[in-house]
Amino acid sequence: MFRKVLIANRGEIAVRIARACRDLGISPIAIYSEADRGALHVRMADEAYLVGAPPSSESYLVFENILKAAQRCGADAIHPGYGFLSENPRFAEACAAAGIPMIGPSADSIRLMGNKTQARSALLQQGVPIVPGTDRALDSPQEAIVEARAIGYPVMLKAAAGGGGKGMRLVETESRMAASFEAAASEALRAFSDPALYLEKFVARPRHVEIQVLADRYGNSIYLGERECSIQRRHQKVLEESPSPALDDDLRRRMGKAALKVVRAANYENAGTVEFLLDEDKNFYFLEMNTRLQVEHPVTEMVTGLDLVREQFRIAAGERLTLRQRDVRLRGWALECRIYAEDPDNKFFPSPGVIQRLLEPQGPWVRVDSGVYEGWEVPFHYDPLIAKLITFGADRPQAIERMKRAIGEYQIDGIKTNLRFFDRILSDPEFEAGRLSTHFIEEFMQRASNSTDQPAEVPDAAVVAAALAYRDRSSTPPSIVRPLRNNRWKMNSRPVGGVSVKKWRASR
Ligand code: MV4
């Protein structure tokens, strides 16, 4: 096993990886930018190296600085986490050339899956179901029109070098093709330095269901069930769960086997995720493969009992998979809420700042993967994900109940977060029924704005007056006027600990 691993990331995932290192007796080494000197992931490491200025293009993305840190500390591997350099084949090659392997698949596997048209044609040959479309780049809008006639409208134009929704256009009629083609190509050029586009048949109201896989270098591979990730906002996942309410054992087995065909086609090693679109008739189609550890990996850990980061280290160290497919047992239900430092009342704009107060939920079957602590300033330079809240239950209703409890306990003051937003999702009848699609958030917001309900919170005048007085007398933000839960206005005057505002003032 490795002795020392450099974690080329920050925030909650760097903390998560450091924990797996401790469990395996590996010394975790951090890197940090000037904005992250006091970050939690730095505190949790045995050593930490400054790699540059706050913008990630000047720190967390600079090969040379990261490799220099790895060499200086004598690391024998680099874990890239997710985002940043995790799916950069040139970084994987640079690590290998420096003799410090990047934990993950080979540069060739990353490159194949990063090119959507190449991946599609490789998988078509293996018999993996892919969305009907073209398996090479289109040369012109005219060619797109010819191909789209064969596929049938509506179609989607997608960037060959893309993923995650950039450079993607829905084209409903032939008259729109030329304009959409130019727009998508220029967006792709800007985002990926490659304007190449291809076409797919449009799948209406799909679910996003992804299969977690593990593969060792000896050709053994297993799938670890699925994650339902349909609840997204602007291609950013918000809430994930495992299993998916849409799957049964038969569909799970068929999707799992398709995912393992992808593994073989890519000669894939380490942990990976095969994304599928699942249509309303339960047909599934390969979408893309993520060649990294994913944000939402904990829900799979909860239902399988595995530590995926530990498995990543073992595979990278040349060990064999110890589980066979028949040893994989899925048990219970897990949910994950992504806690973002953003303001749901102001178009979900990022809300960086100092965390004035933090109380994380605890108790039975609750897991918090957090990258922050009370008193720390969330920098504005990075992704606003500050923590993930995961709950487990014997079944879906129990996991939901525990999530409601945990959300109710969570206190984050000083910055805006999307915490309260989850209360409403978790009580939504469509969510409760498991009727999900990639349009869920959009339709949910529509339902909320149509509803004739009273405003959720109308504090009375005395509470407002007390809050204003309180604010003027202390550095504590007027967070106490926010109910602990919606519609629990009687909690308003009670700060944590149950001390009333009046008593608190009297004791000063
Ligand atoms: C699609 C699709 C419908 N039909 N492809 C969005 C992100 C990118 N990874 C693929 N995406 C989609 N591709 C076809 N042929 C609908 C989406 C899509 C989507 C997919 C997964 C999760 C959320 C989504 C939100 C909007 C659109």
Side-chain angles (χ1 to χ4, degrees):
M1 186 42 68
F2 305 115
R3 287 175 33 258
K4 224 177 196 192
V5 169
L6 182 115
I7 303 166
N9 214 303
R10 64 178 302 283
E12 70 84 19
I13 197 62
V15 171
R16 165 73 187 87
I17 295 163
R19 288 183 170 135
C21 288
R22 295 278 175 220
D23 289 347
L24 285 162
I26 297 169
S27 173
I29 312 301
I31 58 169
Y32 63 98
S33 73
E34 282 159 13
D36 273 340
R37 286 180 188 279
L40 185 60
H41 76 275
V42 173
R43 290 182 163 204
M44 292 192 61
D46 285 342
E47 302 165 44
Y49 294 86
L50 180 66
V51 290
S56 47
S57 60
E58 296 171 38
S59 49
Y60 295 107
L61 292 173
V62 182
F63 290 21
E64 198 187 310
N65 298 359
I66 296 168
L67 285 170
K68 209 179 283 171
Q71 276 157 342
R72 266 259 295 281
C73 71
D76 35 29
I78 296 178
H79 197 307
Y82 54 70
F84 294 133
L85 297 171
S86 61
E87 295 185 284
N88 186 321
R90 284 172 293 112
F91 184 62
E93 281 164 352
C95 291
I100 312 172
M102 177 164 116
I103 310 283
S106 69
D108 286 344
S109 297
I110 298 174
R111 204 170 265 123
L112 175 66
M113 288 303 161
N115 185 317
K116 309 302 163 188
T117 47
Q118 254 180 275
R120 279 170 61 83
S121 64
L123 299 181
L124 193 62
Q125 288 166 27
Q126 296 289 315
V128 177
I130 60 172
V131 190
T134 61
D135 53 7
R136 43 180 205 84
L138 302 158
D139 290 324
S140 64
Q142 291 72 33
E143 192 188 359
I145 285 172
V146 172
E147 296 286 348
R149 278 189 192 160
I151 298 165
Y153 285 90
V155 294
M156 289 199 101
L157 278 169
K158 295 190 176 186
K166 274 214 193 87
M168 197 174 81
R169 285 288 184 292
L170 171 62
V171 188
E172 295 185 285
T173 64
E174 194 166 298
S175 62
R176 300 289 308 142
M177 182 61 87
S180 298
F181 191 99
E182 299 307 339
S186 79
E187 197 174 311
L189 180 60
R190 247 178 299 123
F192 313 112
S193 317
D194 179 357
L197 302 177
Y198 68 102
L199 275 175
E200 280 182 10
K201 173 105 191 124
F202 176 66
V203 180
R205 295 186 60 80
R207 287 175 187 250
H208 172 130
V209 177
E210 56 187 34
I211 306 285
Q212 175 72 51
V213 296
L214 290 178
D216 68 19
R217 68 181 58 158
Y218 311 102
N220 305 302
S221 57
I222 56 175
Y223 61 90
L224 301 173
E226 76 281 7
R227 293 185 288 261
E228 163 80 63
C229 306
S230 298
I231 303 187
Q232 309 199 357
R233 219 193 120 263
R234 300 183 171 216
H235 304 301
Q236 183 169 264
K237 291 168 188 161
V238 173
L239 193 162
E240 306 97 343
E241 58 187 297
S242 184
S244 164
L247 267 59
D248 57 20
D249 288 346
D250 174 62
L251 182 53
R252 179 171 300 115
R253 198 172 303 116
R254 288 187 290 121
M255 291 180 75
K257 284 185 172 167
L260 295 185
K261 282 187 187 170
V262 179
V263 165
R264 280 189 289 276
N267 194 17
Y268 198 86
E269 177 186 323
N270 215 281
T273 298
V274 183
E275 293 185 0
F276 293 97
L277 290 179
L278 182 65
D279 75 13
E280 293 185 297
D281 300 325
K282 309 247 165 135
N283 300 303
F284 62 88
Y285 305 97
F286 171 82
L287 196 57
E288 47 196 73
M289 182 171 193
N290 299 314
T291 55
R292 59 166 192 274
L293 181 71
Q294 286 195 269
V295 178
E296 61 273 24
H297 76 276
V299 293
T300 298
E301 297 187 319
M302 302 302 266
V303 299
T304 59
L306 290 170
D307 175 337
L308 290 177
V309 182
R310 176 190 189 92
E311 297 306 318
Q312 287 194 293
F313 281 129
R314 295 186 63 256
I315 291 165
E319 294 183 31
R320 289 174 179 277
L321 289 184
T322 49
L323 282 181
R324 290 153 301 181
Q325 191 63 54
R326 64 172 173 281
D327 301 324
V328 176
R329 287 270 188 293
L330 304 182
R331 188 178 144 266
W333 211 285
L335 298 179
E336 175 181 279
C337 290
R338 294 192 185 190
I339 314 302
Y340 290 107
E342 63 183 22
D343 183 0
D345 297 327
N346 185 20
K347 300 173 185 171
F348 295 88
F349 280 173
S351 172
V354 175
I355 298 181
Q356 302 282 4
R357 185 174 61 168
L358 180 65
L359 262 181
E360 287 170 347
Q362 301 178 351
W365 308 104
V366 171
R367 166 174 170 182
V368 184
D369 277 24
S370 168
V372 303
Y373 60 88
E374 187 170 289
W376 185 60
E377 182 172 357
V378 179
F380 66 87
H381 300 87
Y382 313 107
D383 186 280
L385 180 74
I386 55 171
K388 304 179 309 206
L389 174 58
I390 303 109
T391 59
F392 179 84
D395 53 22
R396 191 168 185 268
Q398 192 173 44
I400 293 173
E401 277 316 307
R402 287 174 172 152
M403 185 60 83
K404 288 179 181 169
R405 167 192 16 123
I407 295 275
E409 285 182 27
Y410 221 138
Q411 296 276 314
I412 308 175
D413 288 346
I415 58 170
K416 298 273 179 29
T417 74
N418 62 341
L419 259 177
R420 297 297 125 218
F421 190 60
F422 290 109
D423 282 334
R424 293 186 282 131
I425 293 179
L426 295 165
S427 300
D428 180 79
E430 295 299 300
F431 174 77
E432 282 181 342
R435 282 194 292 270
L436 308 177
S437 83
T438 53
H439 299 285
F440 178 86
I441 288 286
E442 195 185 315
E443 293 169 358
F444 166 79
M445 307 267 268
Q446 198 61 50
R447 279 196 290 284
S449 70
N450 287 348
S451 107
T452 53
D453 284 357
Q454 292 289 317
E457 296 163 27
V458 185
D460 66 36
V463 172
V464 172
L468 291 175
Y470 185 89
R471 183 191 63 181
D472 292 345
R473 279 169 172 74
S474 80
S475 59
T476 309
S479 53
I480 52 158
V481 299
R482 229 188 336 78
L484 290 176
R485 292 199 185 84
N486 276 339
N487 301 324
R488 283 246 191 148
W489 59 270
K490 66 184 171 210
M491 298 298 291
N492 282 3
S493 60
R494 259 190 273 164
V496 161
V499 184
S500 75
V501 174
K502 221 166 125 197
K503 237 190 210 155
W504 182 86
R505 280 171 62 186
S507 69
R508 282 238 330 173

